[in-house]
Amino acid sequence: MKAISSLFCCWVLAVSAAGCWVPELPDDTVFSCDTDADCAEDGVVCMARTGQSGFCCKATAEVCNGKDDNCDGQLDNLANPPAELCNGQDDDCDGKTDEDFNFQTDSANCGGCGKPCDAEQTCVAGACKARGELDCANGTDDDGDGTADCADREDCDNQSCGATCVCIGGKQGEAVCSDGLDNDTDTFKDCADSDCNNQSCGTGCVCQGRARTETVCDDRSDNDGDGSEDCFDDNCGGKSCGTGCECRNFGKAETSCGDNADNDGDRLTDCADTNDCSGQSCGVGCSCTSGAKSESICNDNVDNDGDSLKDCADTADCNGKDLGDGTSCSGSTRVESACGDGKDNDGDGKADCQDTDCNGKERGDGTMCSGTTLVESACWDTKDNDADSLTDCADTTDCNGKTCGTGCVCSAGSKTETTCNDNADNDGDSKTDCADTDCKTCGTGCTCTSGVKTETSCNDNADNDGDAKTDCADTDCNTKSCGGGCVCSGGIKTETTCNDGADNDGDGKLNCADNDCTGKSCTKSGGGTGTCSASGSCN
C-alpha cells in the first residue's frame, strides 16, 4: 500500500518558509494506527498488534510473499499451499526451502537442485559416484556387497526399480502416482502411498496427505477425480481461478476490480460486482463503493474514479474527508482542519484560528477557535489552556455555561452542581446532591427542599426521594395530588371528585359511595347538582 505520512510533511523543513515535498514511501512501509479512520485510503483497515499500536493494511488474497496480504496478522498462512519444488524457493510457504529433497542422496538433485547424476552414477554425500549396482530390479547383488537392488542404498537410492518404481530409503517406492497401480507392491496405490506425497497425480493434481488434491482451479476439469471441479472443489479455496479471480466459498470471486474485465464470469465488471469488490481498490486512489468507483485519495490532483472531478471537487466522494495534511474537503473546497499546528495548511495565507475554516473546531489541547480567537474549551482540567491566566470556570468569558465535568456546569465563574441524584460531589464543594444549594431537582418526582430530597410525584408508586415511603405514605405528599380526583391526606389517598363515576383513590368505592365524598358535590340520578350524604346517596 502506498501512503504519505501526514506527520512527516514539513517536519524537516519547519524553519523554512518554502513549501515541502513528501516522497512516496515504499509499499512495505508500516503505518501505525489506532482506528480505521487513521488509515488514509478507503478499504484500508487498522489491524491490532499485541503490545504495540496497530498498522494500516489493505486485505487481498494471501500469497506466498513474506507479507500479511489478507490482514489476519499472520504471514503467508495459505489455506491450500502448493507442493514444494526443488528450485531454491519456499513453494509451500512453511519457512523452509527445498526441504522435501535430500541433496545428499537424491540422484536427481545431488548436492543441489537441478544437479542430476548419470544413469550409472549414484548420489553419495552430495556427490555423484559410479554405481556398483547398475540394475536395481533384477533381484541380484550385482556388485557383491551383500545387498541387492533397492536394499543397496548406496547405489540404488532414487534409482529406477522398474518402469513405475523408484528405490526410496532402501525399499521399492511408488514412482508413478496416477496409474491406479501398486507399483512398489506395498499394498498402497498412487496418492495413498506416502511415497507420492507432493508428487504429481496428473494434470492439475498433486498428492497431499495421502489424497489427490486439485491444484489447477481454472481449467473446467475435475483434476483430482472427487466429483468437483475448479472452485467447487474445497482444495481450491483461496487459489487462483484465473487472472483477477480467486476461489472463495465454493465459487469464483473477483479480485482485480479496476481492470474493466469480468474476471469471475458473473456478468458483473469491477465495482459493479458488489459482492466481491465492495470496499476494494479499483486503482490508485479509487475504491469501490455502492457498486461504483469512488475517489479515495482527494489531494493528488488526479481524477482517480474517472468521473471528470478531481479531489475536493468530487463532492460525492470527498466531502468531509480528512486529507491527512491538516486539511479536509468541505463541499468542493479544501479547508483547514488542523487548527493548532501553526501552519497554513490550505495555502490561503492564514494559519490556525486566523483561518475562518477553524471557527468552532477543537484543537485537541483544551482549546478551540471561536471566530478568529483562541478560547478555553476544556473547563475541567485545572489548566489555563488558552494562556489568559484564567483556569476552568474562572475563565468566565470562555467557560460560562460549559461543562466542568460530570454533573457540573460553569456559572458566573464557579462550578455548579447540576446532577443531584448521583451521590457525588460533582462541583467539589464538599456537598452532595440536595445538600448542595445548587441543586433544585433530584430526579424524577423529586425536588431539593431546604437541603433534603422531597417527593413531588405522589401517584407513580415509586419512592422518588429514597426515604422508603411511596406516594401518599410519604408525608411530603400530604395535600398533594395523587392523580385525577385524588389528594393525599393523612398518609392515604382521598377521593376529591365525586361526580365522575371513577374510583379515584382506588378503594373500590365510587362517587358518593366513598366516605371521602360526604358533603361534596355530586350529580343526581335525575340530573342536577347535589351533595353526597353520609348514607352514600346524592341529594
Side-chain angles (χ1 to χ4, degrees), residues 55-69:
F55 66 97
C56 293
C57 183
K58 188 162 191 174
T60 57
E62 190 79 4
V63 296
C64 188
N65 59 1
K67 299 179 181 179
D68 178 18
D69 303 291

Side-chain angles (χ1 to χ4, degrees), residues 10-259:
C10 296
W11 180 69
V12 296
L13 300 177
V15 296
S16 171
C20 64
W21 169 77
V22 180
E24 188 176 64
L25 300 175
D27 285 347
D28 58 356
T29 300
V30 174
F31 288 91
S32 64
C33 57
D34 295 313
T35 66
D36 291 347
D38 296 333
C39 300
E41 186 178 348
D42 285 348
V44 180
V45 296
C46 185
M47 295 300 300
R49 291 184 291 184
T50 303
Q52 54 186 317
S53 60
F55 66 97
C56 293
C57 183
K58 188 162 191 174
T60 57
E62 190 79 4
V63 296
C64 188
N65 59 1
K67 299 179 181 179
D68 178 18
D69 303 291
N70 61 1
C71 300
D72 65 353
Q74 301 182 56
L75 303 181
D76 297 338
N77 56 323
L78 302 187
N80 293 290
E84 186 77 5
L85 304 176
C86 194
N87 56 8
Q89 299 179 22
D90 178 18
D91 302 288
D92 57 4
C93 276
D94 63 354
K96 302 174 184 178
T97 301
D98 303 331
E99 70 276 8
D100 294 337
F101 301 88
N102 188 339
F103 297 149
Q104 299 299 302
T105 62
D106 187 350
S107 295
N109 301 282
C110 190
C113 290
K115 297 180 178 180
C117 296
D118 293 339
E120 295 184 356
Q121 293 179 317
T122 187
C123 184
V124 179
C128 293
K129 296 183 178 180
R131 294 169 53 207
E133 193 95 2
L134 297 180
D135 189 338
C136 299
N138 62 0
T140 302
D141 177 14
D142 299 302
D143 58 359
D145 63 356
T147 54
D149 298 342
C150 290
D152 191 338
R153 296 195 59 183
E154 181 173 314
D155 293 333
C156 288
D157 258 7
N158 299 308
Q159 301 297 322
S160 172
C161 50
T164 56
C165 175
V166 65
C167 293
I168 301 174
K171 65 181 184 63
Q172 289 184 329
E174 199 92 1
V176 177
C177 302
S178 59
D179 59 1
L181 301 176
D182 176 20
N183 298 298
D184 57 1
T185 66
D186 63 354
T187 73
F188 295 105
K189 300 176 183 179
D190 297 341
C191 291
D193 193 321
S194 59
D195 298 334
C196 287
N197 194 41
N198 292 324
Q199 302 301 314
S200 172
C201 47
T203 301
C205 179
V206 167
C207 296
Q208 290 184 338
R210 293 181 178 264
R212 295 165 64 90
T213 302
E214 191 109 358
T215 57
V216 177
C217 302
D218 62 345
D219 59 359
R220 297 184 180 181
S221 298
D222 176 18
N223 298 302
D224 57 2
D226 64 355
S228 301
E229 66 181 44
D230 296 342
C231 291
F232 292 106
D233 192 317
D234 58 3
N235 299 147
C236 286
K239 291 180 180 177
S240 171
C241 47
T243 302
C245 180
E246 179 183 274
C247 293
R248 294 179 194 163
N249 300 320
F250 299 100
K252 293 182 176 182
E254 192 107 359
T255 57
S256 294
C257 299
D259 59 0

Side-chain angles (χ1 to χ4, degrees), residues 138-406:
N138 62 0
T140 302
D141 177 14
D142 299 302
D143 58 359
D145 63 356
T147 54
D149 298 342
C150 290
D152 191 338
R153 296 195 59 183
E154 181 173 314
D155 293 333
C156 288
D157 258 7
N158 299 308
Q159 301 297 322
S160 172
C161 50
T164 56
C165 175
V166 65
C167 293
I168 301 174
K171 65 181 184 63
Q172 289 184 329
E174 199 92 1
V176 177
C177 302
S178 59
D179 59 1
L181 301 176
D182 176 20
N183 298 298
D184 57 1
T185 66
D186 63 354
T187 73
F188 295 105
K189 300 176 183 179
D190 297 341
C191 291
D193 193 321
S194 59
D195 298 334
C196 287
N197 194 41
N198 292 324
Q199 302 301 314
S200 172
C201 47
T203 301
C205 179
V206 167
C207 296
Q208 290 184 338
R210 293 181 178 264
R212 295 165 64 90
T213 302
E214 191 109 358
T215 57
V216 177
C217 302
D218 62 345
D219 59 359
R220 297 184 180 181
S221 298
D222 176 18
N223 298 302
D224 57 2
D226 64 355
S228 301
E229 66 181 44
D230 296 342
C231 291
F232 292 106
D233 192 317
D234 58 3
N235 299 147
C236 286
K239 291 180 180 177
S240 171
C241 47
T243 302
C245 180
E246 179 183 274
C247 293
R248 294 179 194 163
N249 300 320
F250 299 100
K252 293 182 176 182
E254 192 107 359
T255 57
S256 294
C257 299
D259 59 0
N260 200 33
D262 175 20
N263 299 299
D264 58 0
D266 62 358
R267 299 185 180 180
L268 297 170
T269 301
D270 296 342
C271 292
D273 193 336
T274 54
N275 286 335
D276 302 331
C277 289
S278 183
Q280 302 301 313
S281 172
C282 46
V284 176
C286 179
S287 176
C288 292
T289 305
S290 300
K293 292 182 176 182
S294 172
E295 195 101 359
S296 59
I297 296 180
C298 299
N299 59 349
D300 59 358
N301 198 33
V302 175
D303 174 22
N304 298 298
D305 58 0
D307 62 357
S308 301
L309 298 170
K310 300 177 183 178
D311 298 343
C312 293
D314 193 336
T315 54
D317 301 332
C318 291
N319 186 38
K321 282 192 177 176
D322 186 342
L323 304 183
D325 58 359
T327 67
S328 62
C329 292
S330 177
S332 60
T333 306
R334 180 169 169 251
V335 299
E336 194 101 358
S337 58
C339 299
D341 59 1
K343 299 175 184 176
D344 173 22
N345 298 299
D346 59 359
D348 63 357
K350 299 175 182 178
D352 298 343
C353 291
Q354 295 304 307
D355 192 323
T356 55
D357 297 335
C358 289
N359 184 37
K361 289 183 180 176
E362 291 281 351
R363 291 161 38 103
D365 59 356
T367 66
M368 64 180 290
C369 296
S370 178
T372 59
T373 304
L374 180 68
V375 299
E376 191 106 358
S377 60
C379 300
W380 63 87
D381 59 0
T382 70
K383 297 178 182 177
D384 176 21
N385 297 301
D386 58 357
D388 63 354
S389 301
L390 298 170
T391 302
D392 296 344
C393 290
D395 194 336
T396 55
T397 302
D398 300 337
C399 288
N400 196 45
K402 291 182 179 176
T403 180
C404 45
T406 302

